[in-house]
Amino acid sequence: MSDRPATRLATRLSFLVAGFGIACWAPLVPFAKQRLAVDDGTLGLLLLCIGIGSVVAMLITGPLSSRYGSKPVILAGGFGLAVVLPVLTVAATPTTTALALLAFGAALGSIDVAMNVHAVEVERAADTPLMSGFHALFSIGGFAGATLMTFLLSLGVAPLLGTLFCSAIMIAAMAFAWPRLMTGAQGERGPLFVMPHGIVLLLAALAAATFLVEGAILDWSALLVTDGGLVTATKGGVGYMFFAVAMTAGRLVGDSITARIGDRSTLFWGGILAIAGFVLLLTAPLAAVAMAGFLLIGLGASNIVPVLFRTAGAQKAMPSALAVGAITTTGYAGILAGPAAIGFVSKAVGLHAAFWMVAALLCLVPLTARLVAGPRGG
């Protein structure tokens, strides 16, 4: 049976482990730079390996989940994160670090696609919105991973020991989830590759636009508010904090909201709210107004991606596992390549203008809500 409390819990644990694992790496980046004695340019190339590994794995994971089910891929990705994380603290050369980061990214990409495929099946069996709650656990895992690793390092715990402790937590969570995950979820005997087409292309474009928003806020918001004189450099990260808290809170209540108003209204009003947040942020005369903008962007964007995944699972244009893989890959491409593109645009027209372009791109969400979710919106 697909819809059991144990199955829902195992799905939530998969999202939690994925968010926890990637967040554990972030506080370790300065230690890696110091250990390898590399400059910022080389470090940037090394960090790009995570993205390359993730995207390559995502392209493979959708077809594998479609053919063999999502459970083995979730387990491989979750345990893979736990195994590779400590290696990242002892890799002694740029080459070995690059290989480890490729493997780490591949594990992340694998679990990312497979857990969403699994979540679509669980939600379909439950016949009630669950996707926002699953995605909230990814955000909570990210907060917990970054906080725990930072705390351990601040106590003077060696990076290797800290990662071993965090890996033990991930292994325990995955071992608990193992027997509770659906066996043979998906298992569609279709082709191993189908070029995205039909409604899936639109879903992929909207996912890329929404993930681009998150990447822009993560990488550029501090510079936006500090250059604008709204906050000092030491408080530049506060905006992202407001955004992240709002997004997590929005996802925690997102399922009940979606059940009440439907997918179409969730997309439409979520998009409108996020766009209003951008307007507030980009016209803010005071720091408090800018922070309100970050809150609105986080709340508005919080449930767009869960609805897109649910729609990908329900469409009939192509196998659902392949559709979920396609929008995960394009979404990840948005969060990876988008911030770099903002940098190029910013150099030409300024950071404020670049953010206005991001807001304009987000207008696609409310404009296509009826097309994506239908007249009643599920």
Side-chain angles (χ1 to χ4, degrees):
M1 182 179 174
S2 301
D3 180 34
R4 296 180 297 128
T7 308
R8 295 188 189 188
L9 176 59
T11 311
R12 292 187 179 102
L13 285 173
S14 302
F15 277 82
L16 187 75
V17 166
F20 185 88
I22 187 61
C24 283
W25 160 243
L28 297 170
V29 173
F31 291 87
K33 181 183 179 183
Q34 183 180 33
R35 184 177 69 255
L36 299 172
V38 294
D39 59 21
D40 287 348
T42 304
L43 181 64
L45 290 174
L46 288 172
L47 295 178
L48 187 61
C49 291
I50 294 180
I52 294 170
S54 293
V55 170
V56 171
M58 285 174 176
L59 291 171
I60 300 169
T61 301
L64 288 178
S65 296
S66 180
R67 177 65 61 89
Y68 302 109
S70 55
K71 179 176 180 175
V73 185
I74 290 173
L75 294 173
F79 285 121
L81 284 174
V83 170
V84 178
L85 180 63
V87 178
L88 297 174
T89 67
V90 295
T93 68
T95 301
T96 54
T97 302
L99 292 173
L101 288 171
L102 282 169
F104 192 68
L108 178 66
S110 298
I111 192 173
D112 207 334
V113 172
M115 70 190 186
N116 276 294
V117 172
H118 193 274
V120 164
E121 288 296 296
V122 173
E123 184 183 66
R124 183 183 293 156
D127 198 28
T128 188
L130 296 172
M131 194 65 74
S132 292
F134 292 147
H135 280 254
L137 265 293
F138 182 89
S139 300
I140 292 169
F143 176 79
T147 302
L148 177 58
M149 184 59 72
T150 301
F151 175 69
L152 292 173
L153 294 172
S154 69
L155 290 179
V157 175
L160 175 59
L161 191 58
T163 54
L164 288 172
F165 180 73
C166 291
S167 289
I169 294 174
M170 288 190 278
I171 289 171
M174 293 309 303
F176 184 85
W178 189 334
R180 295 164 176 82
L181 291 167
M182 285 187 292
T183 301
Q186 291 296 319
E188 299 171 3
R189 291 294 172 182
L192 275 177
F193 179 78
V194 176
M195 184 66 70
H197 56 272
I199 189 67
V200 179
L201 281 175
L202 176 58
L203 296 175
L206 295 178
T210 310
F211 276 107
L212 171 58
V213 169
E214 188 169 351
I217 300 294
L218 174 62
D219 289 351
W220 291 102
S221 64
L223 197 59
L224 182 76
V225 293
T226 53
D227 280 2
L230 294 174
V231 298
T232 61
T234 56
K235 296 179 180 177
V238 173
Y240 180 75
M241 183 190 75
F242 275 100
F243 167 82
V245 169
M247 177 166 275
T248 304
R251 285 178 171 172
L252 285 171
V253 300
D255 292 326
S256 59
I257 291 173
T258 307
R260 182 183 294 270
I261 69 174
D263 286 347
R264 182 179 66 82
S265 293
T266 301
L267 284 176
F268 180 83
W269 291 111
I272 293 295
L273 200 62
I275 293 163
F278 269 104
V279 173
L280 265 186
L281 172 62
L282 295 171
T283 60
L286 301 169
V289 178
M291 297 309 134
F294 282 115
L295 282 173
L296 289 182
I297 296 169
L299 285 172
S302 60
N303 294 301
I304 294 173
V305 168
V307 170
L308 295 178
F309 275 112
R310 176 160 48 249
T311 307
Q315 54 75 43
K316 304 300 181 186
M318 59 188 291
S320 60
L322 299 185
V324 169
I327 70 168
T328 306
T329 306
T330 53
Y332 203 80
I335 206 170
L336 273 178
I342 289 172
F344 287 116
V345 173
S346 174
K347 188 174 181 180
V349 297
L351 190 55
H352 253 77
F355 264 72
W356 277 115
M357 291 180 187
V358 173
L361 192 61
L362 197 59
C363 290
L364 286 173
V365 174
L367 288 174
T368 60
R370 184 182 180 91
L371 182 59
V372 169
R376 293 185 303 277

